Amino acid sequence: MAVFYLLLVLSAVLISSLLLTYAVIARLRQKRETPGTKSILIVAGSGGHTKEILTLTEKLGGQCSSRHYVVAASDSISIKKIHSSERILSARNISGSKSEYGIYTVPRSREVKQSWMTTLFTTLYATLYSLRLVFQIKPEIILCNGPGTCVPLCYAGLLLKMFGIADTKIVYVESICRVETLSLSAKLLYPFADSLLVQWPDLVEKYPKCRYIGRVV
Amino acid sequence: MTGKCAFVTVGTTEFDQLIQSATSSDVCKALRQLGYTQLLLQIGRGQFEPEATELSDHSPAVHFYRFKDSIADDIKAANLVICHAGAGSVLETLGAGKAAVVVINDQLMDNHQVELARQLQRLGHLYYCTCRTLHKTLEEADFTSLQPFTPGTPTLFTSHLDSLLTGPPGTGATLVFLFHLSWIGMLAVLYMLTPTVALLLLLTVSCLAVFVFWGEPKKVQ
């Protein structure tokens, strides 16, 4: 029994130290390899959310030279829209040859009409998947604007920051639809977001942590 | 013959009630009285298909289709756009500088899109109504008094992002330090109470962490 415990402890310590080393190396390498280039994770929700966020990213300058888009699985319309938006960006050729982008999918937490019992498991799976994606990309900025998919991704970003692997900043741009109240995702991210932008000045009075810098879409 | 054209759009969803209401005799009559000779409908996934009819004294010519890659051309060609309350359609219409009547779907639960329509009506950019009051709104609305809507300025956002990127780091090192201290502390306490659980927990977390870091993310083409 004692041997079993010892093995357990040893393996745990080994894995933890490996991880820590990896974290440090990843951090150092990131700093050395890419001076001046920033990676940004853009969460494109669906329908109107995608449209709004692409309006913002189309105006991005050279500061975010690698752009990672996340869409919900089975959302082919958004993928098409991202490709055409990227064509506009490359036509402007803002950051020369270094500019790159990728599109990734995450599973949905809950399909329409799915039962609540199985939702528990699919949500867990989606959360783990999001965690993995964010830890692999290690973005400097997570930009999102609404749908539920962005919440686990942002929490993963928070963990990334906590572990000291990357200095991730969470930027949430509230949809223009929200005039009187914040959306549920925004409320969930309210304590953690580094920057929470709203489109209507009235919201700032209600939620003082939000910022109104003018209507952006 | 080039008369005025009204365009109805429901976006990517379905909104049968709007299509039924827009092709009802009341609304057709109201549109005809306002001088519209064309009524084009984008009906989306809806079950209800309106009847395509020719121009007559009490109705404009009715045409419809389900989806197009871009409805921008149809919006541009129209004099009046009647649309669902989706932000995309509403903003696209206002951005094109067209008179808009937004029809709220009151059958949707917790419909926060009403907020936007109400706000934009308050600022005088459009009119909003429900399916039942559509013909009344068309009769009473004064479309010449609508204020032009200036689109937002995304560059404000990009400069905000710039200042965020060059600004100070989000969280201080102290927070990270405290976080690590706290989880190690909690694990130590747990180890004193029940070593098995603590070790299993550590192992699970380690496995999870390996899973999390392993490999490259898969890109979609």
Side-chain angles (χ1 to χ4, degrees):
Chain A
M1 209 55 198
V3 178
F4 175 69
Y5 277 147
L6 200 70
L7 272 177
L8 216 60
V9 174
L10 273 178
S11 57
V13 167
L14 195 74
I15 292 170
S16 317
S17 55
L18 269 177
L19 269 177
L20 218 64
T21 324
Y22 174 81
V24 172
I25 290 173
R27 180 118 205 215
L28 287 176
R29 201 174 55 187
Q30 197 178 16
K31 283 217 172 114
R32 187 151 36 84
E33 258 181 16
T34 51
T37 62
K38 304 279 184 184
S39 74
I40 179 169
L41 187 80
I42 301 156
V43 189
S46 55
H49 288 298
T50 310
K51 197 180 148 83
E52 271 189 33
I53 209 140
L54 290 181
T55 320
L56 295 178
T57 54
E58 268 168 24
K59 291 287 182 296
L60 277 182
Q63 75 272 49
C64 295
S65 49
S66 78
R67 294 170 298 279
H68 307 275
Y69 296 89
V70 177
V71 296
S74 72
D75 188 1
S76 55
I77 300 171
S78 288
I79 294 176
K80 226 185 275 174
K81 275 187 190 158
I82 291 166
H83 281 306
S84 62
S85 149
E86 274 293 332
R87 272 197 289 278
I88 294 173
L89 264 176
S90 70
R92 285 204 356 254
N93 197 17
I94 34 126
S95 46
S97 55
K98 266 182 157 180
S99 176
E100 53 165 4
Y101 76 102
I103 303 172
Y104 312 88
T105 57
V106 285
R108 284 176 197 271
S109 301
R110 184 169 181 268
E111 295 286 347
V112 182
K113 287 172 190 165
Q114 191 185 328
S115 82
W116 287 107
M117 198 50 220
T118 51
T119 300
L120 190 70
F121 294 105
T122 47
T123 306
L124 195 70
Y125 176 64
T127 309
L128 277 179
Y129 198 98
S130 309
L131 193 72
R132 187 170 180 215
L133 190 65
V134 172
F135 270 56
Q136 286 169 338
I137 294 174
K138 296 185 274 294
E140 257 98 1
I141 284 195
I142 298 182
L143 173 65
C144 55
N145 72 340
T149 14
C150 76
V151 177
L153 288 164
C154 287
Y155 282 136
L158 195 71
L159 273 183
L160 213 57
K161 196 155 65 175
M162 286 277 180
F163 281 120
I165 299 162
D167 185 30
T168 308
K169 283 173 178 159
I170 299 163
V171 181
Y172 189 96
V173 183
E174 185 57 289
S175 161
I176 194 165
C177 302
R178 292 300 182 155
V179 183
E180 288 145 23
T181 53
L182 288 183
S183 61
L184 182 63
S185 318
K187 280 178 190 155
L188 285 172
L189 294 172
Y190 188 75
F192 312 109
D194 291 281
S195 175
L196 217 160
L197 302 178
V198 290
Q199 311 275 335
W200 300 102
D202 297 354
L203 276 171
V204 182
E205 285 165 27
K206 228 167 166 181
Y207 306 95
K209 223 192 116 179
C210 300
R211 279 191 65 190
Y212 173 73
I213 56 166
R215 198 152 42 75
V216 289
V217 285
Chain B
M1 185 180 58
T2 51
K4 290 208 286 182
C5 175
F7 178 53
V8 179
T9 174
V10 302
T12 51
T13 52
E14 55 191 289
F15 192 2
D16 281 338
Q17 225 194 333
L18 170 60
I19 302 300
Q20 274 162 3
S21 163
T23 50
S24 69
S25 58
D26 281 348
V27 171
C28 284
K29 211 182 281 173
L31 283 172
R32 191 72 188 90
Q33 263 165 15
L34 288 166
Y36 289 93
T37 54
Q38 299 280 329
L39 176 60
L40 181 63
L41 305 111
Q42 183 260 317
I43 64 170
R45 284 198 314 235
Q47 302 277 312
F48 175 79
E49 278 194 11
E51 226 173 295
T53 56
E54 294 297 310
L55 177 67
S56 68
D57 284 345
H58 48 268
S59 165
V62 177
H63 305 282
F64 74 92
Y65 63 87
R66 286 195 177 271
F67 289 110
K68 265 186 195 173
D69 276 348
S70 169
I71 58 168
D73 290 338
D74 288 324
I75 289 178
K76 218 175 280 173
N79 302 84
L80 169 72
V81 179
I82 300 170
C83 65
H84 75 132
S89 309
V90 174
L91 294 178
E92 197 172 351
T93 306
L94 290 181
K98 299 295 174 182
V101 173
V102 171
V103 182
I104 308 285
N105 191 349
D106 44 16
Q107 289 182 339
L108 287 181
M109 295 294 287
D110 181 35
N111 195 350
H112 66 259
Q113 292 183 324
V114 185
E115 278 182 29
L116 178 66
R118 201 187 297 140
Q119 175 81 353
L120 289 171
Q121 174 165 304
R122 207 182 292 148
L123 297 172
H125 297 305
L126 51 74
Y127 291 102
Y128 84 94
C129 60
T130 60
C131 292
R132 248 169 287 129
T133 57
L134 178 59
H135 70 277
K136 224 167 122 195
T137 308
L138 286 173
E139 280 161 13
E140 289 167 3
D142 175 18
F143 291 107
T144 52
S145 70
L146 287 178
Q147 303 291 316
F149 179 81
T150 45
T153 32
T155 42
L156 281 177
F157 170 74
T158 44
S159 50
H160 175 75
L161 209 62
D162 268 342
S163 66
L164 208 64
L165 275 171
T166 51
T171 44
T174 29
L175 190 64
V176 176
F177 177 72
L178 281 177
F179 171 74
H180 288 290
L181 203 67
S182 67
W183 77 259
I184 290 171
M186 277 191 284
L187 204 67
V189 171
L190 195 66
Y191 185 80
M192 280 171 213
L193 297 174
T194 50
T196 331
V197 176
L199 289 173
L200 278 177
L201 195 72
L202 194 61
L203 196 68
T204 326
V205 171
S206 306
C207 290
L208 193 71
V210 168
F211 161 77
V212 157
F213 278 114
W214 200 268
E216 287 284 306
K218 211 167 71 187
K219 281 188 191 181
V220 186
Q221 284 314 303

